[in-house]
Amino acid sequence: MIRDTKGTVEYWDEAVDFSERTIDRFTMESLSPSGDPEYRPQFLFEIVKEYYQLMLERYSRGDAPQELAQYFLPLLSFWEDSERLGLTTWTTQQCNTRHSWSLNLDHYIVCFWLVGLALVLDIPGDQWQRLIILIGNDGEDALLDRVIATRQLDRKIGTKVCQASPYARLLKAIEAPPSKQANLLREFVQHWYEELHCSPKRPGLSGATAVYDRPYWYTLGDKQLEDSGYFGRWCIEAVAVAKAFGIDDTLCLDHPNYPGDLLMDGRSPRYPDAVVAEQPSAPARGWLRRLLGN
C-alpha cells in the first residue's frame, strides 16, 4: 500500500533500490583519495542528500515511519565530514551562500525537513545535538527557530521569517489562538507547493540569492517519472509544526502533500498499486542517466 500515487509500487521499489546502491557506491568512493579535493565537501554532502531522499522514497512507498530513523546517524556523520572539509575549501562567500537561510531556499527547506523528521521520529539526544550544531543559524528565523526551541530550550528566536513565501502562513498558524490553528495549518498545506515557486521579481530575491527561485526538487517527475529522481512532495514543515506545538492536523490528513503518517502511522490515505494511474514508460537507460548524473 503506497502513499504517493505519482509512482507505482514498482517505481518506488526501484527508486529505493537505486538510492541504496548509490549510497553504497558513494560511501566506498569516499574512502578513497579524492581526485578533486575542492569538490570533496560537496561530494560528501551529496551522500547526505541521498540519505534524506531515501527516507522520503521509503515513506512514499508505504514503509513504516519508524524504519526511517536508522538513516540519521550516517547522514549526520557525512554532513559533519562535509562541513569539516568545507572550512578549508569554501570561501567566505561560498560558506554564506551555502548556509544562509535568507539566501538559500534549498538549505532552509532541507534544515526544516531534517528538524521535522528528527522531531517526529524522536531521534536520540546526542543525534539531535549534532543536528542542531550542523544546522546553525541560531536566532535567524522566527519560524524554524521556534520549532527547534520546542526541543532546544535555549534556542534564540529570530525576528523575521527568512523565506516569507510560503512560510509566513505557517508562522501565522503557530501564533494564532488554538481555535484557529487547525484551519490555518490546512491553509498553509494548501498553498505550500504553489507558493514555493518564486518569480525572479519576488521581493528580496537578488543577485546575492543562491541560484534558484524554487527548490531543486520542485518539478522532478513532471515530464517523465522514471529517470527524474522524484522522491515525493511531502510538506514535512507542516507535520513538524503539528508535532512541535500540538496542533490538530486532522483537516490536513486528506491532502496529498501532507505526511500525516509520520506523526502516527495509519492515518493518511494509502493506495493499492492497482489503482495507481499508469505512468509513461521511460527507456531503461533513464536510471543509468540518473546514476551518471549524480
Side-chain angles (χ1 to χ4, degrees), residues 239-264:
V239 83
V241 164
K243 168 72 172 182
F245 297 95
I247 298 176
D248 181 6
D249 66 345
T250 305
L251 297 177
C252 302
L253 291 177
D254 65 343
H255 195 283
N257 298 127
Y258 186 72
D261 281 355
L262 287 174
L263 279 179
M264 184 184 298

Side-chain angles (χ1 to χ4, degrees), residues 31-57:
L31 300 176
S32 302
S34 177
D36 183 0
E38 292 188 1
Y39 178 70
R40 190 171 181 83
Q42 178 59 37
F43 172 73
L44 293 173
F45 193 78
E46 290 298 315
I47 305 178
V48 175
K49 183 177 173 182
E50 290 289 340
Y51 268 115
Y52 69 71
Q53 290 181 173
L54 172 60
M55 294 169 77
L56 297 180
E57 288 165 350

